[in-house]
Amino acid sequence: MNDIITFNGVTKRHGDVTSLADLHLEVQEGEVLALLGHNGAGKTTAMKLILGLIAPSEGELRVFGAAPHGAEADRLRRRLGFLPENVGFYEQLSGREVLDYFARLKRVDRHRIDDRLEQVGLGEASRRRVKTYSKGMRQRLGLAQALLGDPRLLLLDEPTTGLDPAATRDFYATVRALRDQGCTVLLSSHVLPGVEPYIDRALILGGGKRLALGSLDELRRQAELPLTIRAKGDWSITPPPADLPAHETQRLNGHACEFRVHPANKMRVLRCLTTTPGIEDIELLPPSLENLYTHFSATESPRGQS
Amino acid sequence: MNAVLSVARKEFRDGLRNRWVLAIALVLAILAVGIAYFGAAASGELGFTSLATTVVSLSTLAVFLIPLIALLLAYDAIVGEQEAGTLLLLLTYPLSRSQLLLGKFFGHGLILAVATALGFGIAGIAIALGAPGVDLLALAGSIGLLIVSSVLLGWVFIAFAYLISVWVTEKAQAAGLALIVWFLFVLVFDLALLALLVSVERGGDWLPWLLLLNPTECFRLINLAGFEAARSYTGLTSIAEGGTFRPAVVTAILVAWILVPLGLALLRFRRRAA
């Protein structure tokens, strides 16, 4: 596996403010990495550094093996797609004209613009002015723009803000298809439940520092958050065993019980529950990305506030 | 170079689409024909009088309108894209900041050039048709000079507009500053120079040189150079006695008035943070 992006102790300061502190990160080819964090956590700074819009104050950053701010910038930028947050595009142009302009600037084959528009579902609207587009259509036009010239690295800043659930699903389906073709994707998002199924790893930032990095499983192991087991059945026959290594948190209308269980005790609790008479169904709910995010950000915030 | 042309092409097409070219050409043509026809109304005559009066009137019109049009056309060139979010995106493209700004300059410059040529060209044709006794060759020469110098003057103020546009962070600020620039160069400068002229009792050989500090005065000097007869109407520029400034020199200075603010805008744009 090739490293597409390498942060080696990268720090970025703006005057007295440190927006990114000593970041170490390797992103491999064909990986979908989510950048998570509150506003001002350093997500946008990290993206701007990768895009070569700003230079690191300290440390070394390599994208496709070269410094993105240096002399190689032009070559790197042609292999890279970016979808900024809140891009307005040119209202008076049609979707097709917008793409035509960006394709010229990126020096890519303009004959494939129509394919791109079809790919993001804007084939019908391609000759209408952007002014008449809905938020979702603009976002899809932005994605089509980012996909110009088959980039090997895609940076998506808050790509699904303002999209409805169906549009969000479509959006991530496109991202997954790209990943399957070997494209590396970095995306930042506030909408954690939507992004969870589509990412390989998550980087959680807080106050410019790396709070956690890993796949969902790795993050769960690090966090050791209790998981939730929901057991449905007739609890009036047998009450839950008293020695269950879990605490019952909720009883829903006598038919379901929820337990919060430390991951190490998961199997013991499950064995115990499966042998309890009257139980018809057991659901296992591992901590979600949102729980993990809250957990890791909470470790930072007291210091982050000071 | 390719990127510069792509940006220029887009700006020019935008100018055609949002009717900038048409609007500028129409305003210039209508006002120019009106001034040529009614220019002598103050002295009790109607209709085309002499080429000298007409050229003086038209260049006064151009001094007021061209800078204003250029500033309006270009003041949001960079700050507008910044507010729309497209600037950030453009900067991640294989395109340098200088290429972006130069592309915009060529695009906006062409819009202004085409519109000015159309507007004053139509006016010239109307004068030729409406004034039977006029020397066509002299008219064509004067109108041609007026068009070329108006275009240069417009480019000066496009460059000023860019300097403003790369300096501020809000469109409203840029618009305000653009109006102040117009006000200073078109109105205040003349008044200040007049006051100075009146207060300086002796010497004052250096006074005409002050005219070169204002591109609109350079523009007047170029257009009125050929008209000894027009001297009585030219107001302040008449302090430059015949032959002080050769038109070629003044034209070069006007070109410098384009290059210096444009160069400063490029420097500022390249150095500022993304």
Side-chain angles (χ1 to χ4, degrees):
Chain A
M1 280 288 202
N2 294 322
D3 281 352
I4 296 288
I5 304 171
T6 316
F7 280 83
N8 198 354
V10 172
T11 298
K12 179 68 193 175
R13 284 188 213 91
H14 302 277
D16 290 343
V17 186
T18 304
S19 43
L20 207 60
D22 193 29
L23 179 67
H24 289 268
L25 170 73
E26 275 105 39
V27 184
Q28 278 156 9
E29 192 169 6
E31 171 174 43
V32 179
L33 177 78
L35 290 178
L36 309 175
H38 299 311
N39 292 327
K43 293 173 295 180
T44 306
T45 305
M47 284 210 176
K48 282 187 171 175
L49 283 165
I50 296 168
L51 289 163
L53 290 172
I54 49 178
S57 312
E58 269 170 40
E60 186 196 33
L61 168 63
R62 305 192 83 76
V63 179
F64 296 118
H69 196 70
E72 300 265 2
D74 256 29
R75 188 178 62 79
L76 301 185
R77 284 169 179 197
R78 297 189 57 194
R79 302 168 67 189
L80 190 146
F82 174 48
L83 173 59
E85 190 184 2
N86 302 325
V87 62
F89 287 124
Y90 305 108
E91 303 265 301
Q92 76 281 11
L93 299 185
S94 71
R96 201 174 180 288
E97 286 168 327
V98 168
L99 275 200
D100 185 80
Y101 178 50
F102 283 109
R104 279 172 193 275
L105 291 181
K106 214 171 184 177
R107 285 169 266 152
V108 301
D109 186 6
R110 285 182 290 118
H111 295 107
R112 294 189 54 204
I113 290 175
D114 289 316
D115 297 346
R116 286 280 173 250
L117 286 162
E118 288 292 339
Q119 187 185 353
V120 298
L122 285 176
E124 298 274 310
S126 66
R127 287 175 199 280
R128 270 168 45 199
R129 290 196 179 193
V130 175
K131 203 189 295 184
T132 67
Y133 281 18
S134 67
K135 170 80 190 166
M137 291 165 81
R138 281 162 200 246
Q139 210 64 15
R140 279 183 278 158
L141 181 62
L143 183 64
Q145 170 276 132
L147 297 180
L148 286 170
D150 300 307
R152 303 305 297 156
L153 172 61
L154 263 183
L155 295 157
L156 311 171
D157 198 359
E158 305 285 347
T160 57
T161 323
L163 295 190
D164 63 48
T168 304
R169 220 171 33 241
D170 287 353
F171 190 93
Y172 284 127
T174 316
V175 169
R176 172 161 285 178
L178 288 165
R179 190 200 80 155
D180 293 343
Q181 292 160 25
C183 182
T184 310
V185 183
L186 233 80
L187 59 93
S188 73
S189 183
H190 285 309
V191 195
L192 298 177
V195 77
E196 190 169 342
Y198 301 98
I199 62 172
D200 297 314
R201 287 198 299 163
L203 169 67
I204 301 176
L205 290 168
K209 294 190 197 71
R210 170 176 140 178
L211 301 180
L213 171 69
S215 67
L216 277 175
D217 283 341
E218 285 162 0
L219 292 180
R220 282 185 189 123
R221 267 202 299 281
Q222 285 174 37
E224 293 200 316
L225 285 183
L227 50 96
T228 305
I229 294 177
R230 189 183 292 156
K232 285 180 196 151
D234 193 354
W235 285 102
S236 54
I237 305 173
T238 352
D243 61 338
L244 208 59
H247 33 238
E248 186 183 335
T249 53
Q250 213 177 4
R251 189 174 289 219
L252 312 155
N253 57 40
H255 283 284
C257 247
E258 275 191 5
F259 304 94
R260 286 168 72 70
V261 184
H262 190 270
N265 297 327
K266 179 172 91 176
M267 289 313 293
R268 270 179 66 199
V269 174
L270 279 178
R271 275 193 207 100
C272 181
L273 285 174
T274 44
T275 55
T276 309
I279 291 181
E280 292 148 12
D281 189 23
I282 295 174
E283 260 186 287
L284 211 70
L285 308 169
S288 65
L289 183 58
E290 198 154 6
N291 303 139
L292 292 166
Y293 174 67
T294 315
H295 169 80
F296 284 111
S297 338
T299 58
E300 166 63 17
S301 34
R303 274 179 294 143
Q305 298 294 319
S306 62
Chain B
M1 204 59 215
N2 221 340
V4 175
L5 287 182
S6 299
V7 177
R9 185 175 166 277
K10 185 212 170 247
E11 290 299 329
F12 184 68
R13 284 171 54 130
D14 283 358
L16 288 180
R17 176 162 312 185
N18 54 31
R19 313 262 194 286
W20 261 110
V21 175
L22 188 71
I24 299 170
L26 274 182
V27 165
L28 289 180
I30 292 170
L31 287 178
V33 171
I35 280 177
Y37 189 75
F38 295 107
S43 53
E45 295 172 73
L46 267 190
F48 182 78
T49 46
S50 74
L51 189 57
T53 357
T54 307
V55 168
V56 174
S57 309
L58 288 184
S59 47
T60 305
L61 171 76
V63 161
F64 276 89
L65 275 187
I66 298 284
L68 190 63
I69 290 169
L71 289 167
L72 283 180
L73 183 69
Y75 80 93
D76 66 344
I78 297 299
V79 76
E81 297 238 22
Q82 191 182 1
E83 281 193 2
T86 41
L87 183 64
L88 186 68
L89 187 58
L90 285 173
L91 294 183
T92 68
Y93 269 67
L95 156 89
S96 72
R97 295 180 183 205
S98 310
Q99 284 176 319
L100 178 63
L101 201 67
L102 283 177
K104 282 187 171 272
F105 183 78
F106 291 137
H108 283 142
L110 191 64
I111 291 174
L112 198 87
V114 169
T116 308
L118 270 177
F120 284 149
I122 292 170
I125 292 168
I127 292 168
L129 293 176
V134 72
D135 176 357
L136 284 182
L137 209 63
L139 176 70
S142 295
I143 293 288
L145 188 64
L146 179 70
I147 290 174
V148 171
S149 55
S150 294
V151 170
L152 289 179
L153 181 66
W155 289 353
V156 170
F157 282 88
I158 290 177
F160 278 134
Y162 288 170
L163 191 53
I164 294 169
S165 205
V166 296
W167 219 282
V168 301
T169 50
E170 281 170 40
K171 244 164 105 166
Q173 278 178 306
L177 277 175
L179 283 179
I180 290 174
V181 164
W182 181 80
F183 202 69
L184 282 180
F185 280 111
V186 176
L187 300 177
V188 176
F189 187 90
D190 265 15
L191 290 177
L193 199 58
L194 191 65
L196 200 62
L197 192 62
V198 171
S199 61
V200 174
E201 289 169 0
R202 274 180 191 210
D205 295 343
W206 45 275
L207 273 171
W209 295 94
L210 289 180
L211 290 175
L212 302 179
L213 289 178
N214 186 340
T216 65
E217 305 292 357
C218 296
F219 168 83
R220 280 206 184 99
L221 287 172
I222 293 172
N223 278 286
L224 306 177
F227 292 99
E228 284 301 317
R231 183 124 299 144
S232 47
Y233 312 104
T234 52
L236 265 179
T237 36
S238 62
I239 62 174
E241 291 293 332
T244 311
F245 305 119
R246 276 178 293 130
V249 176
V250 183
T251 309
I253 288 169
L254 199 54
V255 171
W257 267 111
I258 301 172
L259 297 180
V260 171
L262 189 62
L264 288 175
L266 282 170
L267 274 181
R268 170 74 191 172
F269 189 37
R270 285 169 58 157
R271 286 195 186 162
R272 73 176 211 179

PDB file of all heavy atoms in Angstrom, chain B residues 95-110:
ATOM      1  N   LEU B  95      -3.424  26.560 -11.468  1.00  0.00           N
ATOM      2  CA  LEU B  95      -3.583  27.910 -12.012  1.00  0.00           C
ATOM      3  C   LEU B  95      -3.007  28.853 -10.962  1.00  0.00           C
ATOM      4  O   LEU B  95      -3.402  28.788  -9.799  1.00  0.00           O
ATOM      5  CB  LEU B  95      -5.083  28.150 -12.199  1.00  0.00           C
ATOM      6  CG  LEU B  95      -5.653  29.540 -12.214  1.00  0.00           C
ATOM      7  CD1 LEU B  95      -5.641  30.088 -13.620  1.00  0.00           C
ATOM      8  CD2 LEU B  95      -7.103  29.493 -11.740  1.00  0.00           C
ATOM      9  N   SER B  96      -2.037  29.692 -11.371  1.00  0.00           N
ATOM     10  CA  SER B  96      -1.432  30.570 -10.375  1.00  0.00           C
ATOM     11  C   SER B  96      -2.333  31.778 -10.153  1.00  0.00           C
ATOM     12  O   SER B  96      -3.209  32.080 -10.962  1.00  0.00           O
ATOM     13  CB  SER B  96      -0.052  31.018 -10.834  1.00  0.00           C
ATOM     14  OG  SER B  96      -0.190  31.941 -11.884  1.00  0.00           O
ATOM     15  N   ARG B  97      -2.084  32.461  -9.057  1.00  0.00           N
ATOM     16  CA  ARG B  97      -2.892  33.643  -8.753  1.00  0.00           C
ATOM     17  C   ARG B  97      -2.688  34.724  -9.801  1.00  0.00           C
ATOM     18  O   ARG B  97      -3.640  35.412 -10.173  1.00  0.00           O
ATOM     19  CB  ARG B  97      -2.514  34.173  -7.376  1.00  0.00           C
ATOM     20  CG  ARG B  97      -2.857  33.182  -6.294  1.00  0.00           C
ATOM     21  CD  ARG B  97      -2.494  33.706  -4.935  1.00  0.00           C
ATOM     22  NE  ARG B  97      -2.771  32.688  -3.933  1.00  0.00           N
ATOM     23  CZ  ARG B  97      -3.020  32.933  -2.680  1.00  0.00           C
ATOM     24  NH1 ARG B  97      -3.022  34.167  -2.246  1.00  0.00           N
ATOM     25  NH2 ARG B  97      -3.272  31.964  -1.841  1.00  0.00           N
ATOM     26  N   SER B  98      -1.449  34.839 -10.295  1.00  0.00           N
ATOM     27  CA  SER B  98      -1.194  35.846 -11.332  1.00  0.00           C
ATOM     28  C   SER B  98      -1.990  35.516 -12.587  1.00  0.00           C
ATOM     29  O   SER B  98      -2.557  36.403 -13.224  1.00  0.00           O
ATOM     30  CB  SER B  98       0.288  35.893 -11.685  1.00  0.00           C
ATOM     31  OG  SER B  98       1.044  35.999 -10.518  1.00  0.00           O
ATOM     32  N   GLN B  99      -2.030  34.230 -12.943  1.00  0.00           N
ATOM     33  CA  GLN B  99      -2.786  33.835 -14.130  1.00  0.00           C
ATOM     34  C   GLN B  99      -4.262  34.173 -13.966  1.00  0.00           C
ATOM     35  O   GLN B  99      -4.907  34.647 -14.902  1.00  0.00           O
ATOM     36  CB  GLN B  99      -2.628  32.334 -14.378  1.00  0.00           C
ATOM     37  CG  GLN B  99      -1.288  31.956 -14.969  1.00  0.00           C
ATOM     38  CD  GLN B  99      -1.132  30.452 -15.096  1.00  0.00           C
ATOM     39  OE1 GLN B  99      -1.521  29.698 -14.205  1.00  0.00           O
ATOM     40  NE2 GLN B  99      -0.568  30.005 -16.194  1.00  0.00           N
ATOM     41  N   LEU B 100      -4.790  33.947 -12.768  1.00  0.00           N
ATOM     42  CA  LEU B 100      -6.206  34.240 -12.520  1.00  0.00           C
ATOM     43  C   LEU B 100      -6.475  35.730 -12.696  1.00  0.00           C
ATOM     44  O   LEU B 100      -7.403  36.135 -13.409  1.00  0.00           O
ATOM     45  CB  LEU B 100      -6.588  33.774 -11.109  1.00  0.00           C
ATOM     46  CG  LEU B 100      -8.018  34.058 -10.677  1.00  0.00           C
ATOM     47  CD1 LEU B 100      -9.010  33.320 -11.557  1.00  0.00           C
ATOM     48  CD2 LEU B 100      -8.240  33.662  -9.222  1.00  0.00           C
ATOM     49  N   LEU B 101      -5.639  36.561 -12.067  1.00  0.00           N
ATOM     50  CA  LEU B 101      -5.873  37.998 -12.110  1.00  0.00           C
ATOM     51  C   LEU B 101      -5.651  38.550 -13.524  1.00  0.00           C
ATOM     52  O   LEU B 101      -6.429  39.368 -14.001  1.00  0.00           O
ATOM     53  CB  LEU B 101      -4.960  38.708 -11.104  1.00  0.00           C
ATOM     54  CG  LEU B 101      -5.427  40.098 -10.685  1.00  0.00           C
ATOM     55  CD1 LEU B 101      -6.712  40.018  -9.894  1.00  0.00           C
ATOM     56  CD2 LEU B 101      -4.368  40.809  -9.875  1.00  0.00           C
ATOM     57  N   LEU B 102      -4.611  38.070 -14.198  1.00  0.00           N
ATOM     58  CA  LEU B 102      -4.355  38.548 -15.563  1.00  0.00           C
ATOM     59  C   LEU B 102      -5.481  38.113 -16.502  1.00  0.00           C
ATOM     60  O   LEU B 102      -5.915  38.886 -17.361  1.00  0.00           O
ATOM     61  CB  LEU B 102      -3.019  38.017 -16.076  1.00  0.00           C
ATOM     62  CG  LEU B 102      -1.790  38.743 -15.523  1.00  0.00           C
ATOM     63  CD1 LEU B 102      -0.517  38.092 -16.031  1.00  0.00           C
ATOM     64  CD2 LEU B 102      -1.820  40.219 -15.900  1.00  0.00           C
ATOM     65  N   GLY B 103      -5.964  36.889 -16.328  1.00  0.00           N
ATOM     66  CA  GLY B 103      -7.080  36.408 -17.137  1.00  0.00           C
ATOM     67  C   GLY B 103      -8.284  37.307 -16.972  1.00  0.00           C
ATOM     68  O   GLY B 103      -8.936  37.696 -17.945  1.00  0.00           O
ATOM     69  N   LYS B 104      -8.563  37.654 -15.722  1.00  0.00           N
ATOM     70  CA  LYS B 104      -9.691  38.542 -15.474  1.00  0.00           C
ATOM     71  C   LYS B 104      -9.454  39.894 -16.114  1.00  0.00           C
ATOM     72  O   LYS B 104     -10.371  40.494 -16.683  1.00  0.00           O
ATOM     73  CB  LYS B 104      -9.907  38.697 -13.967  1.00  0.00           C
ATOM     74  CG  LYS B 104     -10.601  37.496 -13.375  1.00  0.00           C
ATOM     75  CD  LYS B 104     -10.965  37.699 -11.935  1.00  0.00           C
ATOM     76  CE  LYS B 104     -11.835  36.574 -11.460  1.00  0.00           C
ATOM     77  NZ  LYS B 104     -13.260  36.811 -11.681  1.00  0.00           N
ATOM     78  N   PHE B 105      -8.198  40.377 -16.048  1.00  0.00           N
ATOM     79  CA  PHE B 105      -7.894  41.685 -16.624  1.00  0.00           C
ATOM     80  C   PHE B 105      -8.149  41.676 -18.138  1.00  0.00           C
ATOM     81  O   PHE B 105      -8.773  42.589 -18.665  1.00  0.00           O
ATOM     82  CB  PHE B 105      -6.449  42.080 -16.323  1.00  0.00           C
ATOM     83  CG  PHE B 105      -6.103  43.445 -16.837  1.00  0.00           C
ATOM     84  CD1 PHE B 105      -6.522  44.568 -16.146  1.00  0.00           C
ATOM     85  CD2 PHE B 105      -5.396  43.614 -18.009  1.00  0.00           C
ATOM     86  CE1 PHE B 105      -6.234  45.837 -16.619  1.00  0.00           C
ATOM     87  CE2 PHE B 105      -5.102  44.881 -18.491  1.00  0.00           C
ATOM     88  CZ  PHE B 105      -5.522  45.992 -17.798  1.00  0.00           C
ATOM     89  N   PHE B 106      -7.677  40.613 -18.798  1.00  0.00           N
ATOM     90  CA  PHE B 106      -7.892  40.554 -20.248  1.00  0.00           C
ATOM     91  C   PHE B 106      -9.387  40.467 -20.566  1.00  0.00           C
ATOM     92  O   PHE B 106      -9.864  41.098 -21.508  1.00  0.00           O
ATOM     93  CB  PHE B 106      -7.133  39.384 -20.866  1.00  0.00           C
ATOM     94  CG  PHE B 106      -5.649  39.573 -20.834  1.00  0.00           C
ATOM     95  CD1 PHE B 106      -4.802  38.537 -20.485  1.00  0.00           C
ATOM     96  CD2 PHE B 106      -5.088  40.805 -21.121  1.00  0.00           C
ATOM     97  CE1 PHE B 106      -3.422  38.715 -20.441  1.00  0.00           C
ATOM     98  CE2 PHE B 106      -3.717  41.002 -21.082  1.00  0.00           C
ATOM     99  CZ  PHE B 106      -2.887  39.958 -20.732  1.00  0.00           C
ATOM    100  N   GLY B 107     -10.127  39.684 -19.788  1.00  0.00           N
ATOM    101  CA  GLY B 107     -11.560  39.533 -20.023  1.00  0.00           C
ATOM    102  C   GLY B 107     -12.293  40.850 -19.842  1.00  0.00           C
ATOM    103  O   GLY B 107     -13.025  41.315 -20.718  1.00  0.00           O
ATOM    104  N   HIS B 108     -12.072  41.481 -18.676  1.00  0.00           N
ATOM    105  CA  HIS B 108     -12.730  42.755 -18.393  1.00  0.00           C
ATOM    106  C   HIS B 108     -12.262  43.835 -19.367  1.00  0.00           C
ATOM    107  O   HIS B 108     -13.044  44.661 -19.823  1.00  0.00           O
ATOM    108  CB  HIS B 108     -12.440  43.196 -16.954  1.00  0.00           C
ATOM    109  CG  HIS B 108     -13.249  42.443 -15.934  1.00  0.00           C
ATOM    110  ND1 HIS B 108     -12.730  42.056 -14.716  1.00  0.00           N
ATOM    111  CD2 HIS B 108     -14.512  41.997 -15.949  1.00  0.00           C
ATOM    112  CE1 HIS B 108     -13.649  41.414 -14.035  1.00  0.00           C
ATOM    113  NE2 HIS B 108     -14.753  41.355 -14.761  1.00  0.00           N
ATOM    114  N   GLY B 109     -10.951  43.796 -19.682  1.00  0.00           N
ATOM    115  CA  GLY B 109     -10.401  44.776 -20.613  1.00  0.00           C
ATOM    116  C   GLY B 109     -11.063  44.677 -21.978  1.00  0.00           C
ATOM    117  O   GLY B 109     -11.398  45.690 -22.602  1.00  0.00           O
ATOM    118  N   LEU B 110     -11.308  43.444 -22.409  1.00  0.00           N
ATOM    119  CA  LEU B 110     -11.934  43.246 -23.717  1.00  0.00           C
ATOM    120  C   LEU B 110     -13.394  43.710 -23.701  1.00  0.00           C
ATOM    121  O   LEU B 110     -13.864  44.332 -24.665  1.00  0.00           O
ATOM    122  CB  LEU B 110     -11.839  41.769 -24.112  1.00  0.00           C
ATOM    123  CG  LEU B 110     -12.203  41.454 -25.562  1.00  0.00           C
ATOM    124  CD1 LEU B 110     -11.229  42.131 -26.511  1.00  0.00           C
ATOM    125  CD2 LEU B 110     -12.205  39.945 -25.807  1.00  0.00           C
TER     126      LEU B 110
END
